[in-house]
Amino acid sequence: MTTCRICATSIAPFIDFGEMPIGNAFVARADFDTEYFYRMRVAVCGTCATLQVIDVPDPDRMFHDHYAYFASTSAFMSRHFQELAKDLEGRYLSKESPFVVEIGSNDGITLQYFANAGIPHLGVDPSSNVAAAARAKGVKTLIDFFNERTAQRIVDEHGKADVLIATNTMHHIEDINSVAAGAATLLKPSGIMVQEDPYLGDMIEKTAYDQLYAEHMYIWSVNSLGNAFGRHGLEIFDVEKNDFHGGCMRYFLCHAGTCAPTRRLEAQREKEKKLGLAEPKTYETFRRACETSRERLVELLRRLKRDGKRVAGYGATAKSATIINYCGLGPDDIKFISDTTPIKQGKFSPGAHIPVVTPDQFHEEHPDYAVLFAWNHLAEIDAKEQAFRRNGGKWIIPVRMVEVL
Ligand code: SAH
Ligand code: TYD
């Protein structure tokens, strides 16, 4: 029997994406034969409403010394998180003993602000290569998995935190109960926790099934996140919606009973009820939409091939692994994928083995079409690649019902 990771209710998949490689596991040619796959099936819990990938690889397989995601590659995201840091400093840091902890601090994209301002802080991240990049920016980082044990260690060594940050990280962690318990231990009685993740409502609305992969093993909603953290004495008191990463929700949590819930929170809870985010038929509709989106992408790429068009990919995202492998695409459909991340360049996309190249190569080859796997960065990428469309190039947006721009 399969059970919910949060509340142990028995769950059944509503969709099966088939055998999947790890989204960020870009492979060298020598390692093709030993690539790791898992079966990607997704379920929603009828009790706590958490949408989850049922079977996922062990954390050590995903977060290690050659983790491929460097958050600061996006200038827009860097600005977004520097603004978050500034806001948190102004609103929530105590004067007497300020202390900020971030779970999933990656290359220091957010904590850099506190490091530059000389504010006591600590990042926690198990991926030692991205943590090294953070340390090089002066960001204090504990290289470890955050859980109840590490939380207690931080309290013993540094004291409790005013502010706990976790952006784009809470969907990466299998043992979320241990994380939530740890967060409750680490937070001062008056402290607040800020989380921000891709939002379930957006995933459904945009048929953005590429938000799902092993590292994104949950797609949270106000309802489900509130249930998961509520079990450990933390409650959501405010939310803020934004359009980053294809549509995110920012959640503000505190120790239960210490903050007044905002009207915005109540309005969002009502909206979720109207969206039917806890109802099985929503997921039946979503499954059918995923299948239609897949058919449309495959048909479009087939037609372009027949017409002799050259098609590349742009942004070797972890998300792209879900699309490429679910749609059964390969180097015959997409010749190469351009990406700015040095650790990905020269390697091959997980599962399908499409070569990852530098933006220079993308500019030299000037394909007719580019599947924008980093569709969440459309504004930033379109601004820097103006010549592509000016010279007749077209973006293919692989989510929703597939769009050509
Ligand atoms: N916060 C950044 C990075 C998100 S990527 C941003 O918003 O862009 C997710 C990060 O979570 C990775 O760096 C990964 O190594 C880290 N991570 C995964 N499991 C973790 C855990 N148990 N504790 C802390 N960090 C974890
Ligand atoms: P992203 O969509 O942020 O996340 P994920 O991997 O979790 O799906 O990944 C963006 C990828 O696109 C990352 O590998 C860097 C790359 N990229 C570019 O190549 N050029 C750009 O201008 C930007 C913003 C990103």
Side-chain angles (χ1 to χ4, degrees), residues 2-3 5 11-18 20 38-45 49-56 200 203-204 208-214 216-220 280 283-284 286-287 290 322 326:
T2 301
T3 55
R5 258 187 225 111
I11 50 172
F14 68 86
I15 190 165
D16 184 345
F17 287 94
M20 274 291 159
Y38 65 99
R39 182 106 201 177
M40 191 170 127
R41 298 173 307 145
V42 183
V44 180
C45 176
T50 303
L51 181 137
Q52 53 203 285
V53 177
I54 294 175
D55 301 302
V56 294
L200 182 60
M203 183 187 83
I204 303 281
Y209 64 87
D210 59 346
Q211 293 287 10
L212 291 161
Y213 48 97
H216 282 197
M217 65 183 87
Y218 312 101
I219 303 294
W220 297 107
Y283 298 95
E284 198 43 40
F286 176 67
R287 181 181 60 74
C290 293
T322 301
Y326 176 59

Side-chain angles (χ1 to χ4, degrees), residues 17-47:
F17 287 94
E19 293 295 310
M20 274 291 159
I22 294 172
N24 267 310
F26 293 85
V27 262
R29 196 184 288 282
D31 299 327
F32 282 178
D33 293 342
T34 53
E35 225 181 333
Y36 181 86
F37 288 84
Y38 65 99
R39 182 106 201 177
M40 191 170 127
R41 298 173 307 145
V42 183
V44 180
C45 176
T47 303

Side-chain angles (χ1 to χ4, degrees), residues 69 213 245 315 317-319 339-341 344 376-377 381 384:
Y69 186 72
Y213 48 97
H245 282 317
T317 57
K319 289 186 287 294
D339 198 285
T340 49
T341 318
K344 298 182 183 178
N376 46 312
H377 297 293
I381 290 172
K384 75 159 85 146

Side-chain angles (χ1 to χ4, degrees), residues 39-287:
R39 182 106 201 177
M40 191 170 127
R41 298 173 307 145
V42 183
V44 180
C45 176
T47 303
C48 71
T50 303
L51 181 137
Q52 53 203 285
V53 177
I54 294 175
D55 301 302
V56 294
D58 286 342
D60 294 338
R61 273 194 188 278
M62 301 191 279
F63 310 112
H64 35 52
D65 61 3
H66 52 284
Y67 183 60
Y69 186 72
F70 286 71
S72 300
T73 48
S74 163
F76 278 34
M77 291 314 299
S78 294
R79 194 170 347 127
H80 174 60
F81 287 131
Q82 294 297 297
E83 281 166 10
L84 168 65
K86 198 167 169 197
D87 179 46
L88 294 175
E89 180 195 9
R91 284 207 282 168
Y92 295 114
L93 273 193
S94 64
K95 295 269 176 303
E96 325 72 62
S97 56
F99 185 38
V100 181
V101 176
E102 185 177 9
I103 307 170
S105 42
N106 195 264
D107 60 4
I109 184 167
T110 304
L111 285 185
Q112 193 173 5
Y113 176 89
F114 298 102
N116 291 345
I119 294 168
H121 64 273
L122 183 68
V124 187
D125 202 299
S127 300
S128 56
N129 60 328
V130 293
R135 283 178 173 172
K137 296 171 187 167
V139 172
K140 293 199 179 67
T141 311
L142 171 67
I143 299 176
D144 209 339
F145 292 94
F146 184 87
N147 51 32
E148 252 179 299
R149 185 184 44 79
T150 22
Q152 190 56 56
R153 181 176 154 199
I154 296 169
V155 174
D156 294 345
E157 289 176 16
H158 304 269
K160 295 197 178 212
D162 298 293
V163 172
L164 195 49
I165 305 170
T167 61
N168 300 299
T169 296
M170 282 301 142
H171 45 349
H172 290 63
I173 306 178
E174 192 167 4
D175 193 358
I176 213 73
N177 278 310
S178 179
V179 169
T185 301
L186 181 52
L187 215 51
K188 285 183 185 171
S190 58
I192 65 120
M193 177 173 200
V194 184
Q195 302 188 27
E196 182 169 307
D197 288 300
Y199 180 57
L200 182 60
D202 285 286
M203 183 187 83
I204 303 281
E205 186 205 331
K206 298 177 180 142
T207 314
Y209 64 87
D210 59 346
Q211 293 287 10
L212 291 161
Y213 48 97
E215 297 98 312
H216 282 197
M217 65 183 87
Y218 312 101
I219 303 294
W220 297 107
S221 62
V222 179
N223 186 13
S224 61
L225 194 87
N227 287 335
F229 280 74
R231 295 164 63 87
H232 300 276
L234 295 177
E235 70 184 11
I236 302 175
F237 66 93
D238 196 11
V239 291
E240 230 174 75
K241 182 81 187 60
N242 68 53
D243 288 330
F244 290 92
H245 282 317
C248 277
M249 189 63 77
R250 182 174 286 176
Y251 307 90
F252 294 84
L253 298 94
C254 59
H255 287 287
T258 63
C259 302
T262 62
R263 267 210 292 250
R264 240 184 343 195
L265 172 67
E266 288 320 312
Q268 194 61 38
R269 284 193 188 282
E270 281 308 310
K271 210 166 165 185
E272 288 192 354
K273 279 192 199 131
K274 289 203 183 97
L275 287 171
L277 293 188
E279 287 167 28
K281 70 171 189 306
T282 303
Y283 298 95
E284 198 43 40
T285 309
F286 176 67
R287 181 181 60 74

